[in-house]
Amino acid sequence: MKKIVLTAGLLIAACLLMTPGATLYFELGDGTRCTTCHEMQPLYDTWHSSSHRNIACGKCHGDAFTVDVAFHMNNAHRAYSHLRGDLPEQIGFANKYVLEIDQQCRSCHREEYAKWESGPHSAGFARIFLDKKHNTANMLMDDCLRCHGMYYEGGIADLVQPVSRTGPWRLAQPELANMPSMPCATCHQVHRQGEPMQKSGVEGSRPGPTQEVARPSLALFDRRTQLYVPVADLPMPAMKEGERAVKMSKDQRQALCYQCHAPIAAMQVGSGDDRTGLGVHEGISCLACHDQHGEKTRASCATCHPKMSNCGLDVEKMDTTFVSADSKHNVHWVKCADCHTKGVPKKRQETNQ
Amino acid sequence: MWRRPGMRTDSSHSPPAAQVGRRVFLGVGLAAVGATVSCTRGTAGGTWRFFTPAQAQTVDAICAQLIPADQDPGAKEAGVVNFIDLQLSKRFKKYRAVYQQGIDAVDAASRSKFGTRFVELTGERQVEVLNVVEENSPVFFDLIVTHARQGFYGDPRHGGNRNMVSWKMLGLPFPPVRGREHYKG
């Protein structure tokens, strides 16, 4: 009897240890063993040539010592599906794991993470999807998930209930309430080809023609195709003010902003979610004023003003939305004529001549 | 031995583990290792899910003739063969036999006409062989033409249209810049 109990116990222990054991086996192969499943080959290849090539798979994907039964069960389920020949079209992350990976990003990119965390792009699901003001005026729809909660597996009706303009609204999964709806993986593809980040002392980090403008990971996760589109391939809209073509900055990084801060089809400045600079700020890149991760603009005026200020006033104290959100003059589109309603005086230096 | 938390045990009643469990432990351990190793061996390995490497080469070459590259990329660059291979392991399972027979027919026609495999022929000769296949194996030919189009123009998430090459060729901006109108409550 004791032998039977012992045998059963050992069998159960062996079964329980088999999955983490297999995970350990894959880890020890430095990623190459993962490619025994052919669907893993493209993922391995992209990682191997990426800027994160020195980060072991287990750091982001979990390893044999991950204390999460669901993680190991998921691995066992995948192995079972693989052996059955039920192969996925694509391999991606579940919403839950994308959010967990944010914490792995944090372990190395602390400064960027802290800025992002203090900025608007770290807004949680509750902040975005349970906004009474928004939901009363605008019907919730699946398209919301294009920019918010893009990794969520399901439609808007699975996420928020009821889908109506009357509410009261609640999240079907309350645990998502404080989870970021725009995680790091929204704009960064970890497996994208590129060189590892250098701390200092390299040509690429010094101002000048060889300075690195954007990290290779910069890409948009497109929910519709479930693929990343590198920032270089993203389209830049041809913005208009009425019939006039608006001067656009050539900073390609803006293409990423335009995917969500987008105008409606007529491409008019200020339509939809567009914030293209107009007036005194026409032709300036979004990133000239908005800090990359925190989106903060507080210290940005000093980059150009007062050096490029035309009227000699302290621009930070002028009546714009920079000072107060209630101002009638949106800082994105403010023009000299907004204040000089009887005509814009000539520049002081021109008057002196 | 399992025991309830807080339950007292009398070691004198417990059998010495080494005496009772050595063979059992080794047996179970070996079984677990065997199962783990078999699990980690994978099923097929390599790049392809359905095709053999030789078949994939042939299908790739056929597609390259159906949608050749010019100033823009063609089916080869778009990874159409990857699309077909992937879909043959999923929604196109019912077409597996047609592909197996069709690929054999292409190579057979190539050998009988030029004495060598299809992939080793020049582009002009490949077209000649495909003309024969179109006549003799119309079901396969129509099917691969349809699948080549789907793989070239379809959504990249299904395995083809690599880097959205056909959409770029057509000048379709992707992802489109499309905002939403906002209403005030």
Side-chain angles (χ1 to χ4, degrees):
Chain A
M1 181 64 188
K2 282 173 185 169
K3 277 188 179 179
I4 294 169
V5 171
L6 249 176
T7 309
L10 284 169
L11 268 172
I12 291 166
C15 288
L16 285 174
L17 289 172
M18 195 170 72
T19 308
T23 309
L24 189 65
Y25 166 84
F26 285 121
E27 279 167 44
L28 295 175
D30 224 10
T32 50
R33 286 177 183 170
C34 301
T35 59
T36 51
C37 297
H38 41 201
E39 61 264 38
M40 298 299 292
Q41 187 74 50
L43 293 172
Y44 172 79
D45 290 344
T46 49
W47 166 77
H48 194 58
S49 60
S50 79
S51 54
H52 288 95
R53 71 189 73 148
N54 297 326
I55 312 294
C57 307
K59 175 83 175 166
C60 297
H61 296 276
D63 56 26
F65 303 105
T66 298
V67 187
D68 181 357
V69 175
F71 166 78
H72 293 291
M73 288 300 288
N74 187 40
N75 281 352
H77 179 72
R78 283 183 181 182
Y80 175 66
S81 298
H82 176 85
L83 292 170
R84 280 179 55 215
D86 182 13
L87 308 175
E89 275 201 0
Q90 288 174 312
I91 297 176
F93 277 122
N95 190 44
K96 174 187 166 187
Y97 294 114
V98 169
L99 304 176
E100 285 178 9
I101 282 176
D102 269 12
Q103 296 308 312
Q104 300 302 332
C105 302
R106 180 187 205 170
S107 63
C108 294
H109 305 281
R110 292 184 184 187
E111 187 180 340
E112 290 85 354
Y113 189 93
K115 285 182 178 175
W116 166 82
E117 197 174 29
S118 65
H121 284 168
S122 66
F125 277 72
R127 160 77 185 77
I128 296 293
F129 292 104
L130 306 183
D131 184 333
K132 190 177 175 184
K133 190 179 169 189
H134 173 277
N135 293 359
T136 306
N138 300 278
M139 191 72 169
L140 287 161
M141 58 183 74
D142 286 334
D143 197 46
C144 300
L145 293 162
R146 186 160 52 88
C147 292
H148 307 288
M150 58 290 297
Y151 284 94
Y152 181 72
E153 307 90 344
I156 195 75
D158 305 309
L159 179 65
V160 189
Q161 289 158 0
V163 180
S164 74
R165 288 172 59 187
T166 50
W169 301 274
R170 64 177 183 83
L171 291 171
Q173 294 167 259
E175 66 273 18
L176 291 176
N178 295 317
M179 295 279 194
S181 62
M182 292 158 278
C184 306
T186 304
C187 300
H188 293 283
Q189 182 184 11
V190 175
H191 282 219
R192 178 151 294 283
Q193 189 173 16
E195 292 301 311
M197 184 182 271
Q198 301 292 327
K199 290 277 183 191
S200 61
V202 287
E203 200 60 27
S205 64
R206 295 187 192 121
T210 56
Q211 185 182 22
E212 184 181 78
V213 175
R215 280 269 79 209
S217 68
L218 213 55
L220 173 85
F221 176 74
D222 179 61
R223 178 180 168 86
R224 292 158 290 199
T225 56
Q226 298 282 301
L227 293 171
Y228 277 96
V229 183
V231 74
D233 285 353
L234 291 172
M236 279 282 281
M239 298 302 299
K240 290 181 181 174
E241 182 191 25
E243 290 300 310
R244 183 179 75 87
V246 171
K247 186 182 170 189
M248 302 284 292
S249 162
K250 290 179 181 171
D251 186 353
Q252 182 62 25
R253 292 176 298 172
Q254 293 180 113
L256 197 53
C257 313
Y258 274 114
Q259 282 298 316
C260 292
H261 297 278
I264 60 172
M267 300 290 157
Q268 290 293 315
V269 170
S271 64
D273 289 298
D274 177 68
R275 299 290 180 272
T276 303
L278 209 58
V280 297
H281 292 139
E282 185 169 333
I284 296 175
S285 166
C286 311
L287 290 119
C289 301
H290 292 274
D291 172 50
Q292 291 168 12
H293 289 95
E295 314 311 321
K296 288 188 170 50
T297 56
R298 283 296 120 185
S300 66
C301 301
T303 311
C304 302
H305 301 281
K307 190 180 173 188
M308 292 176 72
S309 184
N310 291 326
C311 57
L313 297 177
D314 183 351
V315 294
E316 293 189 16
K317 290 177 182 165
M318 292 169 86
D319 178 19
T320 67
T321 50
F322 181 81
V323 174
S324 166
D326 297 329
S327 171
K328 286 189 291 182
H329 308 298
N330 190 306
V331 75
H332 293 96
W333 309 310
V334 68
K335 298 175 178 175
C336 301
D338 289 352
C339 295
H340 298 282
T341 51
K342 292 177 183 173
V344 181
K346 286 183 179 178
K347 289 180 186 176
R348 199 168 289 170
Q349 62 219 55
E350 288 173 7
T351 316
N352 294 339
Q353 282 170 357
Chain B
M1 192 175 81
W2 181 87
R3 69 185 176 94
R4 207 165 52 222
M7 183 179 159
R8 289 182 66 185
T9 52
D10 186 347
S11 59
S12 63
H13 292 154
S14 300
Q19 216 173 45
V20 176
R22 189 183 296 140
R23 286 182 184 173
V24 173
F25 180 81
L26 284 173
V28 171
L30 283 172
V33 168
T36 304
V37 169
S38 70
C39 184
T40 54
R41 280 168 65 90
T43 47
T47 310
W48 306 104
R49 300 170 187 229
F50 171 69
F51 293 136
T52 63
Q55 286 174 330
Q57 275 187 330
T58 305
V59 171
D60 197 25
I62 296 169
C63 293
Q65 290 305 332
L66 296 174
I67 308 178
D70 43 23
Q71 70 275 17
D72 293 302
K76 194 179 190 68
E77 293 74 18
V80 168
V81 63
N82 186 53
F83 163 79
I84 296 173
D85 180 61
L86 173 63
Q87 296 307 326
L88 283 171
S89 68
K90 302 188 78 64
R91 291 183 183 277
F92 292 173
K93 272 182 183 171
K94 59 187 171 188
Y95 301 128
R96 284 178 167 188
V98 179
Y99 267 90
Q100 298 281 18
Q101 290 160 13
I103 294 165
D104 289 345
V106 169
D107 269 331
S110 174
R111 285 184 200 283
S112 84
K113 205 167 169 59
F114 298 109
T116 185
R117 285 180 65 215
F118 181 77
V119 294
E120 288 160 3
L121 299 178
T122 61
E124 285 167 5
R125 287 186 168 186
Q126 284 183 339
V127 171
E128 281 185 48
V129 170
L130 288 177
N131 285 333
V132 173
V133 172
E134 185 178 11
E135 247 177 57
N136 298 342
S137 310
V139 175
F140 168 70
F141 190 82
D142 289 349
L143 192 67
I144 198 168
V145 167
T146 304
H147 290 171
R149 286 178 184 152
Q150 291 172 353
F152 187 69
Y153 290 108
D155 195 313
R157 70 182 298 178
H158 303 302
N161 197 2
R162 185 185 294 143
N163 296 327
M164 298 151 195
V165 289
S166 68
W167 296 353
K168 285 178 188 168
M169 177 186 77
L170 295 170
L172 294 173
F174 190 86
V177 175
R178 289 285 183 273
R180 302 213 66 84
E181 194 67 270
H182 284 273
Y183 303 96
K184 290 175 182 172

